[in-house]
Amino acid sequence: MKKTLVTLTLSLAMLSCSQPDGESAEVKRIDALARDYLFLELAMGQHDPDHVDAYFGPAEIRSAAEDAALTLDDILDGAEKLAADLATLDTSGDRQLQQRLAGLQSRLVALDTRIALQQGVRLDFDEESLRLFGTQAPHYDAAHFDAILAQIDALLPGPGPLASRVNALNDAFDIPADKLPAVFEAAIAECRRRTLRHIQLPENESFTIEYVTDKPWSGYNWYKGD
């Protein structure tokens, strides 16, 4: 599995939620443990430059991780201690806290796995994807795909191979390069107009679109800050 599949986007906002005054002791504990988690992930980033894709949290956590210069074994020990601390949290009756706990625990499994891979352990694809992402690709036999191809063939009748007919359909939706800016500007304006019906947005909110080719992904976004 390629490194690009296990990059992380980290922010404190991802792990902690705004809480009203008088928040519970358990909420305060998980907030503190979330900071410990960020520290470990940023420390892991010192060993693998592709590990942390983007970080928007407190600068002091990143600086502390850089200064600590933890070894992989140090990070693993820290992750095990953090997992033990998380296991002592009382989340009964608090669904949001339960979700935060489950999220942190699953990310620690992924961190342990990244450390193992960095140390030379090799896992099969299904086990690696399960430990990193909590899911596995489904397994189907050829008959499953033959049935799908038959359905597509019925939807796209005509001469020539099915692949050619599918490609011709896709080509009909291609936007000429010289019209891309106008089409995207119109689409973005309409998306914003519809979103404003439900959510208040900052007046000066904006983003810049860059068109690229020869990338393994069809689209990507990068937060630039306020």
Side-chain angles (χ1 to χ4, degrees):
M1 185 174 291
K2 295 182 180 179
K3 284 185 178 180
T4 51
L5 293 179
V6 293
T7 54
L8 299 172
T9 300
L10 302 177
S11 72
L12 196 59
M14 179 183 72
L15 300 170
S16 63
C17 304
S18 176
Q19 298 288 339
D21 292 339
E23 62 186 11
S24 72
E26 295 302 89
V27 169
K28 292 179 180 178
R29 283 189 64 204
I30 200 170
D31 284 348
L33 294 173
R35 293 178 70 92
D36 293 341
Y37 164 76
L38 287 179
F39 171 80
L40 292 173
E41 290 285 13
L42 292 167
M44 182 64 189
Q46 302 302 302
H47 295 272
D48 181 356
D50 294 327
H51 186 68
V52 179
D53 183 59
Y55 176 69
F56 313 120
E60 63 269 19
I61 301 179
R62 165 165 272 171
S63 296
E66 293 172 351
D67 293 342
L70 299 183
T71 66
L72 291 175
D73 286 336
D74 291 335
I75 299 170
L76 184 60
D77 289 343
E80 291 175 352
K81 180 181 183 303
L82 179 55
D85 289 340
L86 288 169
T88 66
L89 284 169
D90 179 10
T91 63
S92 56
D94 190 329
R95 185 169 180 271
Q96 186 178 80
L97 197 60
Q98 291 167 359
Q99 291 175 330
R100 292 182 62 193
L101 174 60
L104 281 168
Q105 289 173 326
S106 64
R107 290 184 177 97
L108 283 178
V109 172
L111 177 58
D112 288 349
T113 304
R114 288 297 302 142
I115 293 171
L117 294 174
Q118 193 77 7
Q119 292 176 328
V121 174
R122 290 293 173 261
L123 306 171
D124 64 43
F125 184 87
D126 283 345
E127 184 178 2
E128 185 175 335
S129 64
L130 181 63
R131 290 175 61 176
L132 288 173
F133 308 113
T135 190
Q136 290 180 332
H139 294 271
Y140 298 114
D141 58 18
H144 171 83
F145 296 103
D146 287 340
I148 294 174
L149 291 174
Q151 292 176 3
I152 298 174
D153 185 61
L155 292 170
L156 290 175
L162 177 58
S164 298
R165 283 177 273 151
V166 170
N167 288 336
L169 177 66
N170 290 335
D171 290 344
F173 293 93
D174 280 353
I175 302 172
D178 61 335
K179 294 184 178 180
L180 274 176
V183 171
F184 269 87
E185 287 173 9
I188 292 166
E190 179 62 15
C191 287
R192 182 177 176 83
R193 186 185 70 81
R194 295 189 185 190
T195 301
L196 283 169
R197 296 176 184 171
H198 311 282
I199 302 173
Q200 185 176 358
L201 300 175
E203 287 293 333
N204 61 345
E205 184 179 57
S206 65
F207 59 89
T208 301
I209 298 176
E210 297 179 4
Y211 303 101
V212 297
T213 57
D214 300 323
K215 301 295 182 182
W217 33 263
S218 59
Y220 189 82
N221 65 82
W222 191 272
Y223 177 66
K224 295 293 188 179
D226 295 333

